[in-house]
Amino acid sequence: MREGSPLYWLPRAHAWWILDYSGCAQLMQDGRLGKADLLPADVPDARRGSLLMSDPPAHTRLRALVNRGFVPSVLEHLRPRITALASTLLAPAAACGRLDLVADYASPLPAMVIAELLGVPADDHEQFRGWADAIIRGLDPTQPAAAVRAHHEAEAALHAYFTRLLPRLRAQPGPDLLSALIGAEASGDRLSRDELLSMAMVLLVAGFETTVNLLSTGMLTLLHHPETSARLRREPQRWPAAVEELLRLEPPVQFVQRVVREPVQLHRQLLESGSKVILVVGAANRDPAVFSDPDHLDLDRHPNPHLSFSRGVHYCLGAPLARLEAQIALRALLDQLPSVRLDPDRPPTWSGNLAVRGLRELPLRV
Ligand code: HEM
């Protein structure tokens, strides 16, 4: 499709689909497009004001405040926890000879990390996962109305949960991000209670399923490339480059959306105010105008300016954490399970979510 044209009008989605790298990168960084107008009019105010769905200047203020909480010490606190958890989760697999990578590893690991990040007790992780799944599914524009209803119910349940959690963290702050945000002030400003609630929800939704998918699709890609896996075992210093390349080839967020606020010209086409645009990261990351041999997994690709964490003011806040998690977790898998391979009797299955793409099951033998 990209060779035919870099952009298409899709009447069913009532949106422009942008498929080339330069178009996606340009529109991600263009202040004439915004996100707030993506929400339907009946959405509650709490969600309307969130970091993920607001535009400058409201977004600029929230981002400055949350940056104060996302300090290096929060990440450093998580590093040994991620390493230890990866080993604990892999131990039973080594003993019994098989694992479902999604259920046994790729899901529990980021769930625990995001829960620790937010100061949530371990007993509640499973419940979280259910809510986060329902919320993510409802974001897919192709899902039926029932999924949208489930999305709103899960959002309400999660909101109620955080309402109970915040006073506990205020009374007894921990080394977590929410405790840091409760105390964070920027230029005499601080987050209100509603803004803290909204921020907690955004961090969970934005940081959980995305990382699950990076771990599972990343592992599937490595299993299809045994020569690359062997090289990574020999040259562990290549892991950061490997994670960037896995992000490029299988972006967990396949597209990001914007609404045109002032008319914009793209590739001689006028995008009028009010039109929706869908920036297809999955296609941009394989644009041969920027990436040579784009379908090939190349550990030596440099530079690797993929768009998997977006660009511009909404650039992924959790990118350093996602990178850290993937580098530790995928390396632990290859190193601790030297004969890991696909299960010949049970092929992988995909979740079917168009927006946040990933595997439902990845059965492995070890
Ligand atoms: C592989 C994992 C991840 C991927 C692929 C990913 C991808 C993205 C993308 C594409 C956006 C921008 C959306 C847009 O431009 O409209 C974004 C924003 C965001 N991400 Fe991530 N993300 C990941 C992990 C995380 C983690 C672990 C966290 C938090 C702990 C996180 C927190 C956020 C937040 C808060 C935003 C909103 C930033 C803003 O609007 O200013 N993400 N992410």
Side-chain angles (χ1 to χ4, degrees), residues 28 35 51-54 59 63 70 114 117 177 199 202-204 206-208 210-211 214 247 251-253 256-258 281 307-311 313-319 321-323 325:
M28 280 171 180
K35 294 184 78 176
L51 184 70
L52 203 55
M53 298 310 288
S54 60
H59 175 269
R63 183 89 188 200
F70 226 104
I114 203 93
L117 182 78
L177 177 67
M199 196 67 84
V202 162
L203 287 166
L204 176 70
F208 174 42
T210 44
T211 313
L214 174 59
L247 276 161
V253 178
V256 299
Q257 305 183 60
R258 301 285 185 268
V281 172
L307 299 178
S308 299
F309 291 124
S310 191
R311 284 273 172 92
V313 297
H314 291 284
Y315 179 79
C316 177
L317 183 79
L321 177 59
R323 289 183 160 122
E325 272 187 74

Side-chain angles (χ1 to χ4, degrees), residues 48-202:
R48 190 167 291 286
S50 86
L51 184 70
L52 203 55
M53 298 310 288
S54 60
D55 295 328
H59 175 269
T60 318
R61 171 182 165 264
L62 289 173
R63 183 89 188 200
L65 281 162
V66 77
N67 276 341
R68 286 293 183 95
F70 226 104
V71 286
S73 63
V74 170
L75 217 58
E76 282 316 305
H77 160 72
L78 290 172
R79 180 189 290 273
R81 304 282 303 125
I82 301 170
T83 310
L85 187 77
S87 291
T88 309
L89 289 170
L90 291 175
C96 83
R98 55 178 70 214
L99 86 158
D100 174 7
L101 187 93
V102 180
D104 301 333
Y105 191 66
S107 240
L109 193 119
M112 172 275 186
V113 172
I114 203 93
E116 287 239 345
L117 182 78
L118 293 174
V120 166
D123 286 354
D124 300 337
H125 292 183
E126 267 316 298
Q127 197 172 28
F128 260 133
R129 179 141 195 261
W131 289 329
D133 274 349
I135 291 171
I136 293 281
R137 203 162 293 277
L139 294 175
D140 183 342
T142 64
Q143 291 287 314
V148 178
R149 264 199 311 281
H151 166 102
H152 290 310
E153 282 164 17
E155 208 170 45
L158 208 65
H159 193 269
Y161 180 86
F162 281 126
T163 307
R164 293 194 298 276
L165 181 67
L166 279 183
R168 278 158 54 191
L169 295 180
R170 200 181 296 274
Q172 276 189 311
D176 57 274
L177 177 67
L178 271 193
S179 294
L181 285 180
I182 289 171
E185 287 202 16
S187 335
D189 192 8
R190 64 162 60 206
L191 292 169
S192 70
R193 181 181 148 282
D194 283 349
E195 286 169 341
L196 273 168
L197 284 171
S198 153
M199 196 67 84
M201 307 264 288
V202 162

